[in-house]
Amino acid sequence: MGTGSFNAFWKPKAMKVVFRPEAEQELLEAQNWYEACAVGLGFEFARAVDAAISKMQRMPLAFPRIEGEFRHILTRKFPYSIIYHASSTEIIVVSVFHHRRKPKVWLQHTKG
């Protein structure tokens, strides 16, 4: 077998990503704010978030824990983290968190 044969049979499945309503609201508000700043910037923000989520799906346990079982991944070019919890079947995004916010305010999204 050649070195590429293994990859033909084993492809990790991307985990399902679920956004809590608060996280979805944060995402939309940030995207709208950036779009209001400059046409196309909201789209660039959305692409940065999408890229972070793609990495998170492929390697959900590769990113640092920040509180209990919650982890975060940084977005490129924008001062945001995607805060999430990975179970065996899905990834739950609890916050799209701006780095200038009060550090633990995202924990409010984990209750309920």
Side-chain angles (χ1 to χ4, degrees):
M1 277 188 187
T3 57
S5 299
F6 180 74
N7 289 334
F9 294 105
W10 183 80
K11 290 186 181 178
K13 290 174 80 175
M15 292 183 72
K16 177 181 175 185
V17 176
V18 177
F19 275 76
R20 296 275 314 248
E22 301 89 349
E24 187 173 358
Q25 185 65 33
E26 290 169 337
L27 173 63
L28 293 173
E29 286 175 3
Q31 185 177 0
N32 289 336
W33 187 85
Y34 280 115
E35 191 62 28
C37 289
V39 174
L41 194 56
F43 177 73
E44 289 301 316
F45 174 72
R47 282 181 37 164
V49 169
D50 189 51
I53 289 171
S54 291
K55 286 181 190 175
M56 179 179 61
Q57 282 181 293
R58 289 190 310 272
M59 305 175 297
L61 302 179
F63 302 98
R65 285 187 179 167
I66 55 172
E67 181 84 24
E69 293 300 312
F70 292 95
R71 297 176 181 271
H72 77 118
I73 181 172
L74 303 175
T75 59
R76 295 190 79 195
K77 298 182 183 179
F78 294 92
Y80 280 83
S81 290
I82 311 301
I83 300 174
Y84 66 97
H85 175 270
S87 73
S88 61
T89 58
E90 65 185 5
I91 296 169
I92 300 167
V93 176
V94 296
S95 185
V96 177
F97 193 78
H98 191 283
H99 294 166
R100 291 268 175 118
R101 289 177 63 192
K102 189 174 177 182
K104 298 226 178 191
V105 74
W106 65 269
L107 282 168
Q108 297 170 9
H109 299 329
T110 65
K111 311 224 184 325

